[in-house]
Amino acid sequence: TITEAKFDPLHAKYKKLEEWKKDAKGGKSIPEEERIRERDLGHKFEEFREEMGEAKKELDVYYEQFKQDLETEMRAFGSASEQLRKDLADNGPYSGALEPTQAFGKIAEYKSKLATRREKETELRHSMGVFKIQKDPQKDLKEVDTELALLNKVWEHASKWQQDSGNWKECSFKTLKEDIVSEAVAGHTD
């Protein structure tokens, strides 16, 4: 390796230094501690390499475990998203017996649940990027989003109709202006 290739020149320098010390007769010799480190360099590097190999094996195991956990979490996320869609279909504000304020409350509740699911989807997408996993956005969440937008529109019309018709009920028939009523009714048909 590149690192090991640097050992030979280092050993050569120590050898030259030792020879120079002998030729200088009486010059300071290399401390024993340093000589031991120089001699053990190859052995220590081999220990380091083995430790790095073990660490890589552990990382590979953790990588696979994390990937499996992510895949499990993605399946659970898909099931939870499907359940949210089904819950909206079963318990959403579809009944005409509801008051618009109740319907808007339910819509807000589902929008909050949808926002939570979207945050989780973003979090999962980030983790998926680590493993280069490609997955389309959750279809169930898109359907919930579309359905909530339509329900909101329906209940806005219902609320406006309730307000308009309530005003008409309070006035006498003679004072009711036909053109205003016709215009309001036409506005609710779009």
Side-chain angles (χ1 to χ4, degrees), residues 99-143:
E99 287 295 316
T101 54
Q102 294 171 307
F104 288 130
K106 279 190 162 211
I107 290 170
E109 184 182 314
Y110 280 103
K111 281 184 178 182
S112 176
K113 290 177 183 179
L114 178 63
T116 301
R117 302 283 351 132
R118 289 283 189 207
E119 287 173 14
K120 183 66 177 176
E121 183 177 38
T122 300
E123 180 185 310
L124 286 173
R125 287 207 172 282
H126 177 73
S127 296
M128 288 164 46
V130 171
F131 298 102
K132 296 176 179 65
I133 297 173
Q134 296 293 321
K135 191 159 172 49
D136 292 332
Q138 201 38 253
K139 183 180 132 191
D140 291 309
L141 295 183
K142 186 174 180 161
E143 289 176 12

Side-chain angles (χ1 to χ4, degrees), residues 157-171:
H157 280 291
S159 178
K160 179 76 169 115
W161 176 259
Q162 192 178 51
Q163 183 183 2
D164 289 346
S165 64
N167 291 339
W168 300 329
K169 289 177 188 175
E170 293 173 7
C171 67

Side-chain angles (χ1 to χ4, degrees), residues 7-53:
F7 291 173
D8 287 338
L10 185 63
H11 291 308
K13 283 182 185 180
Y14 270 92
K15 188 175 180 182
K16 285 269 189 211
L17 198 58
E18 200 58 44
E19 287 172 6
W20 182 75
K21 296 288 181 186
K22 284 182 189 175
D23 289 344
K25 294 186 181 155
K28 271 187 153 178
S29 66
I30 299 170
E32 188 61 27
E33 228 176 74
E34 197 170 326
R35 292 174 122 188
I36 291 171
R37 281 193 302 225
E38 184 256 336
R39 275 193 307 257
D40 287 349
L41 189 60
H43 174 69
K44 293 289 185 185
F45 183 73
E46 191 56 40
E47 285 177 5
F48 172 75
R49 186 186 315 194
E50 287 173 13
E51 286 178 19
M52 292 303 289

Side-chain angles (χ1 to χ4, degrees), residues 63-100:
Y63 180 89
E64 279 305 312
Q65 184 179 359
F66 182 65
K67 186 176 180 181
Q68 288 173 357
D69 290 349
L70 176 63
E71 289 169 347
T72 300
E73 197 171 352
M74 287 168 50
R75 283 189 296 277
F77 175 75
S79 295
S81 297
E82 181 182 358
Q83 185 56 44
L84 178 62
R85 182 185 53 77
K86 287 179 180 179
D87 186 50
L88 176 63
D90 295 342
N91 303 310
Y94 294 103
S95 172
L98 289 173
E99 287 295 316

